[in-house]
Amino acid sequence: MDSALVDLGQHCVQDHPLRSRDWSKLQDDIARLIEKKLWFYPHHRKFAAACADWYYISKEVHGPFQQNSIVLLLPYNNQSEICTLYNHSDSRTYEFRLNVLRDKFIYGSSNGWVCLSDKEYKISLINLLTMQQFALPYPSYALNFISGMLDTPMIESEIVTKIAVSGSPLSSNGCIVAAIMSTYEELLVCRLGDISWTPIVIKESKLKSHECWQFLHDVIFFQGKIYAINDGYNLLIVDIDGANYVARDTFGPCYQSGDDIGHPSRGEPCIEGLEDLYELRLYLVECYGKLLAIRRFGEEHPDDSYSTQYFELFEFEESEETWRMIHGLGDRSLFVGQNGSISVSATEIPGCRPNCIYFTDDFYRGQVNWEFGFRADNGVFCCEDGTIERFSISHSMARWLVPAMWCQLKM
């Protein structure tokens, strides 16, 4: 290209009237319209940093969402590009246009990443701040169990019920993904770049249970190992030895010294007066460098729905592989549901209440035939006095195809 033309082009750009315009004088309604079109985090951050007026407009439109924020992704119609985030600190909802969610089903979130599936059951991880995506192996193992039921409503929920990500896929240390899959809720593992999932099985069960690796409720990476827990109170432990996975099982939190295998004495709530409650779910979470198990109890209603009423906490003593009941979280807050369980210091998250468990309704597979779709069994449980405060969310949840879940925004 003629160097004279290059010089002329550079001169025109430098002298363009838009470069000298004071953009902070832009009318507020136009600035709001621009900000509503932004979600990609680096663009959103640059907009907010332009001037004080734009910072407040950004906060008004998109809320106080920033690195490490925890937001509730509300159920959305996957035929639309609009999703809604609920911010627990100011009890407000914020709408975003995310094209990547159109025609997608969300299985869960973990470590800042959301697991999506398209109509052809191709699974991927996506970061909602940066929009980076990584493909995961095709879920052939899970699809084998439901090959004749692919037209059944909500059949996507039978493929992956929980996901755990060991760390950032961008890390030089590599990333491992653990998923609870299939109608038997088994544990499968892969590394980024693998072409298939590896099922985890135990050749000889300490608890003499042939189902010790099935009907799992939750999975977590903790101190370089994978832990999962099932509805029979078996704790599955997977040692990662290079490309190999060595699994074993041990007693879960409901066993006490002297209990017979298969007959834990803590099947009912440990607190008197709660014997009529049902155990809804079990969760695993890392807190203060310890592995905790969380038992969630609720009432059953005539329409087959449930409402959460109480939580119990147990701490795992790794050296002896025993559990002890604990009655508080100190300054920590927990977030449980369809997401990988999150533990944070309440002082680091604006508006977060210490010694509390924030929960969402993850019993969505039983809600397909309900007249109003998803129930709003969402709220915050106070460990100190056992009270529950329900979220007041102005959001239609009728006939949505994905569950509500907590997401921690991470780069």
Side-chain angles (χ1 to χ4, degrees):
M1 180 182 292
D2 191 324
S3 60
L5 292 178
V6 174
D7 293 340
L8 178 61
Q10 292 176 344
H11 176 74
C12 290
V13 170
Q14 291 172 355
D15 291 344
H16 197 285
L18 292 179
R19 290 185 60 86
S20 58
R21 180 170 180 174
D22 185 359
W23 288 96
S24 65
K25 306 282 189 214
L26 192 68
Q27 295 179 15
D28 287 354
D29 56 345
I30 298 178
R32 287 189 188 91
L33 182 61
I34 294 173
E35 175 66 350
K36 285 180 180 179
K37 301 293 184 181
L38 299 178
W39 169 250
F40 183 55
Y41 183 66
H43 295 170
H44 168 55
R45 184 174 56 184
K46 289 179 180 178
F47 180 97
C51 62
D53 289 344
W54 285 21
Y55 169 81
Y56 289 110
I57 288 174
S58 173
K59 189 172 182 179
E60 172 193 337
V61 173
H62 279 169
F65 302 137
Q66 55 186 327
Q67 182 82 289
N68 293 322
S69 295
I70 299 175
V71 297
L72 182 61
L73 175 62
L74 296 178
Y76 67 93
N77 185 339
N78 66 356
Q79 300 303 309
S80 170
E81 299 172 351
I82 303 298
C83 74
T84 305
L85 299 181
Y86 174 76
N87 180 35
H88 61 88
S89 65
D90 61 8
S91 300
R92 287 184 57 189
T93 57
Y94 300 84
E95 285 191 349
F96 294 91
R97 183 181 300 275
L98 293 178
N99 297 344
V100 70
L101 296 183
R102 188 177 182 88
D103 294 328
K104 299 296 194 304
F105 185 90
I106 297 183
Y107 291 127
S109 66
S110 173
N111 217 359
W113 294 81
V114 172
C115 184
L116 301 173
S117 171
D118 64 15
K119 292 181 178 180
E120 298 179 349
Y121 306 106
K122 295 178 181 178
I123 303 176
S124 61
L125 294 177
I126 183 170
N127 187 299
L128 292 184
L129 285 183
T130 65
M131 294 295 118
Q132 291 175 297
Q133 292 191 61
F134 293 90
L136 297 179
Y138 193 71
S140 303
Y141 183 90
L143 289 173
N144 288 338
F145 291 93
I146 58 172
S147 57
M149 302 183 294
L150 295 181
D151 294 330
T152 304
M154 292 292 287
I155 194 61
E156 295 93 342
S157 66
E158 298 289 341
I159 299 175
V160 178
T161 58
K162 213 64 181 285
I163 196 87
V165 181
S166 65
S168 172
L170 303 173
S171 170
S172 59
N173 297 326
C175 175
I176 302 176
V177 180
I180 299 175
M181 288 188 177
S182 85
T183 53
Y184 292 100
E185 297 178 313
E186 302 174 60
L187 181 63
L188 288 90
V189 180
C190 77
R191 295 175 184 270
L192 290 186
D194 285 355
I195 61 174
S196 62
W197 293 88
T198 300
I200 301 298
V201 297
I202 296 178
K203 295 181 179 179
E204 184 174 353
S205 169
K206 175 180 178 181
L207 304 185
K208 310 299 181 184
S209 170
H210 67 284
E211 296 178 345
C212 59
W213 65 86
Q214 295 180 335
F215 306 109
L216 298 169
H217 281 213
D218 203 4
V219 59
I220 186 176
F221 286 89
F222 175 69
Q223 295 186 352
K225 300 177 183 179
I226 303 172
Y227 289 80
I229 193 166
N230 72 359
D231 58 5
Y233 309 114
N234 297 358
L235 183 70
L236 181 64
I237 305 174
V238 183
D239 291 295
I240 304 171
D241 182 16
N244 299 316
Y245 305 100
V246 182
R248 59 190 177 88
D249 65 345
T250 189
F251 296 103
C254 297
Y255 282 93
Q256 299 186 95
S257 177
D259 286 355
D260 294 330
I261 291 176
H263 298 281
S265 57
R266 282 180 173 154
E268 302 296 331
C270 298
I271 305 299
E272 292 184 5
L274 303 180
E275 295 82 2
D276 294 333
L277 298 182
Y278 288 84
E279 183 179 86
L280 302 180
R281 298 293 292 178
L282 288 161
Y283 306 99
L284 295 174
V285 64
E286 180 177 358
C287 186
Y288 289 119
K290 296 284 189 176
L291 179 67
L292 301 187
I294 307 166
R295 299 177 72 198
R296 178 174 177 173
F297 295 94
E299 292 179 337
E300 183 178 13
H301 302 298
D303 61 356
D304 292 330
S305 67
Y306 292 85
S307 60
T308 299
Q309 300 296 324
Y310 200 78
F311 287 86
E312 288 183 346
L313 296 165
F314 296 87
E315 181 182 301
F316 184 56
E317 298 292 346
E318 188 174 10
S319 59
E320 301 177 358
E321 294 193 351
T322 58
W323 298 84
R324 69 180 184 91
M325 191 174 185
I326 61 175
H327 301 280
L329 297 165
D331 73 339
R332 307 295 290 186
S333 302
L334 305 183
F335 293 79
V336 301
Q338 188 64 22
N339 56 287
S341 302
I342 303 168
S343 170
V344 297
S345 171
T347 59
E348 298 175 358
I349 306 293
C352 196
R353 294 164 56 179
N355 199 23
C356 287
I357 301 174
Y358 291 78
F359 61 92
T360 61
D361 193 341
D362 54 3
F363 188 58
Y364 65 98
R365 283 186 295 170
Q367 303 174 4
V368 180
N369 297 320
W370 290 350
E371 180 181 357
F372 298 106
F374 290 91
R375 298 300 166 123
D377 185 20
N378 310 308
V380 55
F381 171 80
C382 177
C383 296
E384 182 176 358
D385 57 18
T387 58
I388 288 180
E389 179 182 330
R390 307 288 173 177
F391 295 144
S392 177
I393 302 176
S394 177
H395 177 68
S396 173
M397 292 190 177
R399 295 302 179 199
W400 299 134
L401 298 178
V402 295
M405 68 186 69
W406 297 108
C407 299
Q408 186 167 24
L409 304 180
K410 288 184 176 182
M411 295 281 282

